[in-house]
Every structure is written in C-alpha cells, then in structure tokens.
Amino acid sequence: MYPDTYEYNPFYPKSEDFKVIRKDENSGFGVISYRAFKKGQLVAIMNGERITDIRQHSLQIEPGLHLYDTHFAGYFLHSCAPNVHLDMQNMRITAVRDIEPGDYILMDYAQTEDVLYKQFPCSCGAANCRGWITGRKQAIDESDPLYQQFALTQVAAI
Ligand SMILES: [Zn+2]
C-alpha cells in the first residue's frame, strides 16, 4: 500500500490484506481488513511523512511531531472500543481484540492525539462511547456548532 520509494519492510500493510474505502458521508474513509488477527498480534508496521503540524489524517508521534500516512493508518476510523493500539514510537499497530475478515480497523483517536484536527460526535455504538470526541489533552470546544447540535440531541435523549 506504500510507495516503492519506502525502504522495504515485510510488515508494511499489503493491498491484498487491507483496503481503504469511503465508508459513508458521515464517517468518510475507513480501512477494512481482509485478514483475521488475534488479540495481541501485530497487524502492520506503518510509515509516512513526518510533519510538525496537525492535519486531518495525521497521527501524533509526540508533541510537535506527527505522522502523515495517506496510504493506510491515516484513514483508520475512530471507535471508543478500538480493535487496535498504535505504538507511535515504534510504528507498530497491534490488535487489542480479535479482528475478523471484513472488520474495519478501529483506533481510539485519543490514544495518540493530544489535540484533534477536528472534534466530532461519535456514533461508534460502543457501550462506553464518549459521545463527543476530543484529543486526550483537549477540552470540549463548546463554541463548535457541531457540538451545540450534539449537546441538544443529548438533552433530547434524557
Ligand atoms: Zn464512540
């Protein structure tokens, strides 16, 4: 899935194992696995451009340093009950639950991101869904019109 210009690594994701697809209007892109992975198993090694700003599909390596992977990991969907963990120091993606062929690769954006490019309402459906997703060091932006809309639906649901 990565350009040939990247140094060879046998654990890079292969196009026969994964596919980046446009899920729907709301979620945008996602990555489907065609392979099964057991909990604890290495899913892939990721790579990409190292950048200093936060972009829509970037992943934080450390404060001020981000990975911009526009081929694979940058398109993982968020879930409050993720099926992978990203080790951003070693670029390792590990299954934290069993993954079946046809499952989306799901990460928790707050696992890697201090601050999100954009906060958003979550519809992952997990029992522990946080509802409104922010970075792990980020307060809710109550001035965000999307948040105001989200807050209204929460009030309506009570
Ligand atoms: Zn959620």
Side-chain angles (χ1 to χ4, degrees):
M1 299 178 85
Y2 289 131
D4 293 339
T5 48
Y6 287 14
E7 194 182 325
Y8 174 76
N9 186 314
F11 297 106
Y12 280 161
K14 298 177 182 66
S15 43
E16 59 260 40
D17 294 336
F18 303 98
K19 189 167 196 234
V20 176
I21 66 156
R22 191 170 169 81
K23 191 186 176 209
D24 56 48
E25 205 55 42
N26 277 333
S27 317
F29 288 93
V31 177
I32 279 192
S33 175
Y34 294 138
R35 268 187 65 186
F37 293 96
K38 287 280 167 214
K39 181 179 176 178
Q41 198 180 345
L42 178 70
V43 171
I45 297 285
M46 63 192 143
N47 205 343
E49 193 187 335
R50 269 67 175 172
I51 59 174
T52 53
D53 57 324
I54 300 171
R55 299 183 197 167
Q56 185 161 14
H57 297 291
S58 66
L59 294 160
Q60 182 180 320
I61 299 169
E62 58 190 46
L65 185 62
H66 306 264
L67 180 76
Y68 193 52
D69 175 358
T70 54
H71 302 280
F72 183 60
Y75 292 115
F76 290 169
L77 289 167
H78 167 88
S79 172
C80 301
N83 57 16
V84 295
H85 175 272
L86 274 58
D87 173 350
M88 297 307 297
Q89 294 305 318
N90 299 301
M91 296 292 138
R92 292 169 62 91
I93 301 160
T94 307
V96 293
R97 288 194 275 129
D98 288 355
I99 297 172
E100 303 298 333
D103 285 354
Y104 280 96
I105 302 291
L106 302 168
M107 67 172 290
D108 184 340
Y109 290 167
Q111 189 240 304
T112 58
E113 307 305 298
D114 287 346
V115 172
L116 291 190
Y117 176 77
K118 210 170 62 180
Q119 302 185 0
F120 64 97
C122 186
S123 53
C124 74
N128 63 338
C129 179
R130 299 194 294 277
W132 183 259
I133 307 304
T134 68
R136 60 187 164 189
K137 292 189 178 165
Q138 193 175 27
I140 292 172
D141 177 9
E142 295 188 8
S143 69
D144 183 331
L146 256 185
Y147 177 75
Q148 291 166 6
Q149 232 179 56
F150 164 80
L152 281 177
T153 63
Q154 294 310 103
V155 171
I158 294 169

